[in-house]
Amino acid sequence: MALNLSLSAPPIRSPQQPLLHYSAKHTIVVSSDGLSYPKSTVSRRRSRRVVTRVRSSLDIVGPTVKVGQVTEVDKDTFWPLVKAADDKTVVLDMYTQWCGPCKVMAPKFQELSQKYLDVVFLKLDCNQENKQPLAKELGIKVVPTFKILKDSKVVKEVTGAKFDDLVLAIDAVRSS
């Protein structure tokens, strides 16, 4: 989150220079841990007008949930996207690039994302970088594993390339 604040002050008379105008631009950046980091630049220019202005804008950028497609996630983006999904059902495909059954399920998973427009479809490559924190946290033992979440909680799991079981599990969670 960033707050941009621009201030312009009335001109200041100086004995050396007839008329000066100072303006300051301050940007305050608030990080995810709640700390703020001010940045400021001050410029000086000649002016013959008196201008007093205060402008501010608040820019909030967060994760966005996309339906109708599969979104690739990693250890840093998974939980923010699940929380952003709010009360929508979330289906996570946990796969690896070298897994044959994962490759068979990938196009079918994509088709499901286009069929169920009220469900968020995510996929996580359980490579070395993601394996330690997130795959371990979610309890992955085999690939492919499909975790179905509702209200940020895992409510169903389908292991292996069992397309029919996955469809039944998604339907069960959607109707609950």
Side-chain angles (χ1 to χ4, degrees), residues 29-42:
V29 178
V30 179
S31 66
S32 59
D33 58 1
L35 298 175
S36 60
Y37 303 95
K39 295 179 182 178
S40 64
T41 59
V42 178

Side-chain angles (χ1 to χ4, degrees), residues 73-77 124-136:
V73 295
D74 61 22
K75 61 183 172 32
D76 299 321
T77 60
L124 172 71
D125 185 359
C126 295
N127 59 21
Q128 206 58 22
E129 187 177 312
N130 291 320
K131 187 176 183 181
Q132 293 299 332
L134 186 57
K136 225 176 202 180

Side-chain angles (χ1 to χ4, degrees), residues 76-96:
D76 299 321
T77 60
F78 174 69
W79 286 113
L81 282 171
V82 169
K83 288 181 183 9
D86 201 27
D87 62 344
K88 287 185 173 74
T89 301
V90 177
V91 182
L92 173 66
D93 174 10
M94 301 172 79
Y95 73 99
T96 59

Side-chain angles (χ1 to χ4, degrees), residues 89 115-119 148 150 169-176:
T89 301
K115 177 181 176 186
Y116 295 107
L117 297 179
D118 59 334
V119 177
I148 304 172
K150 188 76 170 186
I170 292 171
D171 286 337
V173 173
R174 285 178 62 227
S175 63
S176 65

Side-chain angles (χ1 to χ4, degrees), residues 56-166:
S56 67
S57 66
L58 184 62
D59 302 319
I60 300 173
V61 179
T64 57
V65 178
K66 297 176 184 168
V67 294
Q69 68 182 36
V70 178
T71 304
E72 186 80 34
V73 295
D74 61 22
K75 61 183 172 32
D76 299 321
T77 60
F78 174 69
W79 286 113
L81 282 171
V82 169
K83 288 181 183 9
D86 201 27
D87 62 344
K88 287 185 173 74
T89 301
V90 177
V91 182
L92 173 66
D93 174 10
M94 301 172 79
Y95 73 99
T96 59
Q97 294 178 3
W98 49 263
C99 167
C102 298
K103 291 177 183 179
V104 169
M105 288 296 288
K108 295 178 181 181
F109 193 68
Q110 180 67 39
E111 288 174 16
L112 287 176
S113 73
Q114 294 166 354
K115 177 181 176 186
Y116 295 107
L117 297 179
D118 59 334
V119 177
V120 176
F121 288 84
L122 307 174
K123 61 191 294 183
L124 172 71
D125 185 359
C126 295
N127 59 21
Q128 206 58 22
E129 187 177 312
N130 291 320
K131 187 176 183 181
Q132 293 299 332
L134 186 57
K136 225 176 202 180
E137 178 184 347
L138 293 171
I140 185 155
K141 294 179 176 70
V142 298
V143 288
T145 296
F146 301 92
K147 301 275 186 175
I148 304 172
L149 297 95
K150 188 76 170 186
D151 298 321
S152 300
K153 294 179 186 141
V154 177
V155 293
K156 292 246 186 221
E157 177 180 308
V158 176
T159 56
K162 302 171 187 161
F163 182 74
D164 294 336
D165 291 352
L166 178 60

